């Protein structure tokens, strides 16, 4: 799985083909969408138009909360919209604890995986106790847990639980939707290194082994966000950004969100 991908939350379907095409042209090879984003068709059109071989691409989509009871049918519908015969990573989008159907959803994803219809399966927005209910089953361990994670919300308990099971932690809203980019600790590092604040934040994630999927519809930012493999933060820089934790959640809390 590429460590840096491109996310398309809040990109309207009719603008998604152009945005994903710009990302593929800039060099991204991993695209993160979801059935609830309503833009899988736009993603699919860009993939088809790119001329890139399928095995050069890494496509992630997600099972929405109302579909936990029939994951296989929801997967088929996503494939139809994407124009693909498989995706590389299929995630349960949220645990939706009030519905309490995520173990059924996991059984559906495990069936897809056992039938060789998807390259990897995982979860998103899972808290440690929700992950434990899945790993306690003794079946397939999720490959990935995609969670909100950025300097203002560092999710150390979730990362510890992921690490304990060998699950890759993937950061959504890795830039906190822009909310951390004016933080003096980050701008000072950016100025010293001659980089942008977004590049510094992405580097902070990457140097700690996380997968990131920044979103931008702005071509210059799409390019800048990918240009983060030619410099390094020092241990002091990493520690300064670690100091920005402030429980600054921007999205819903997984213990409460049922969609
Ligand atoms: N599993 C889940 O529940 C969730 C998953 N996600 C995934 O994570 C992806 C990323 O998260 P998202 O919420 O979009 O937030 P991000 O943290 O990626 O931030 C996106 C925002 O930051 C701006 N931005 C991007 N790059 C820069 C830059 N270099 N300088 C300044 N501003 C910048 C964008 O503006 P502009 O576009 O105008 O350039 C946009 O407003 C989503 O697209 C989606 O794929 C997101 C939310 C929940
Ligand atoms: O973007 C996502 O992937 C999300 O799950 C959420 O942002 C969700 O769709 C939402 O908008 C909740 O208010």
């Amino acid at each position: 799985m590429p460590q840096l991908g491109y996310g398309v939350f809040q990109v309207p379907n009719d603008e998604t083909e152009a945005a994903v095409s710009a990302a593929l042209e800039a060099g991204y090879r991993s695209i993160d969408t979801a059935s609830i984003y309503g833009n899988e068709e736009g993603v699919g059109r860009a993939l088809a138009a790119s001329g890139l071989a399928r095995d050069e691409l890494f496509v992630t989509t997600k099972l929405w909360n109302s579909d936990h009871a029939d994951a296989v049918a929801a997967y088929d519908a996503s494939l139809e919209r994407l124009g693909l015969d498989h995706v590389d990573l299929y995630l349960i989008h949220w645990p939706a604890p009030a519905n309490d159907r995520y173990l059924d959803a996991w059984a559906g994803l495990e069936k897809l995986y056992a039938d060789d219809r998807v390259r990897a399966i995982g979860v998103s927005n899972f808290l440690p106790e929700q992950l434990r209910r899945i790993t306690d089953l003794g079946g397939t361990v999720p490959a990935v847990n995609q969670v909100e994670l950025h300097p203002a919300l560092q999710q150390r308990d979730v990362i510890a639980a992921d690490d304990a099971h060998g699950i890759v932690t993937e950061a959504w809203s890795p830039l906190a939707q822009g909310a951390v980019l004016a933080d003096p600790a980050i701008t000072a590092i950016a100025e010293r290194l001659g980089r942008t604040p977004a590049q510094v934040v992405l580097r902070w994630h990457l140097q700690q082994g996380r997968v990131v999927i920044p979103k931008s519809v702005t071509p210059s930012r799409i390019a800048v966000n990918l240009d983060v493999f030619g410099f390094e933060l020092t241990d002091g820089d990493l520690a300064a950004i670690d100091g920005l934790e402030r429980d600054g959640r921007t999205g819903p809390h997984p213990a409460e969100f049922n969609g």
Side-chain angles (χ1 to χ4, degrees), residues 9 37 64 93-94 252 257:
F9 174 46
Y37 299 170
W64 189 240
H93 203 145
W94 290 87
F257 184 66

Side-chain angles (χ1 to χ4, degrees), residues 3-4 147-154 159 169-176 180 198-214 233 238 241-242:
Q3 205 184 349
L4 195 154
V147 296
E148 180 177 352
L149 205 170
H150 44 71
L153 182 77
Q154 297 187 19
I159 292 172
T169 301
E170 179 174 20
W172 65 253
S173 292
L175 306 173
V180 296
Q199 289 177 313
V200 168
V201 172
L202 293 171
R203 209 46 232 173
W204 171 78
H205 286 288
L206 295 173
Q207 284 183 219
Q208 294 170 93
R210 290 194 287 274
V211 172
V212 287
I213 43 170
L233 302 183
L238 296 174
I241 302 174
D242 286 350

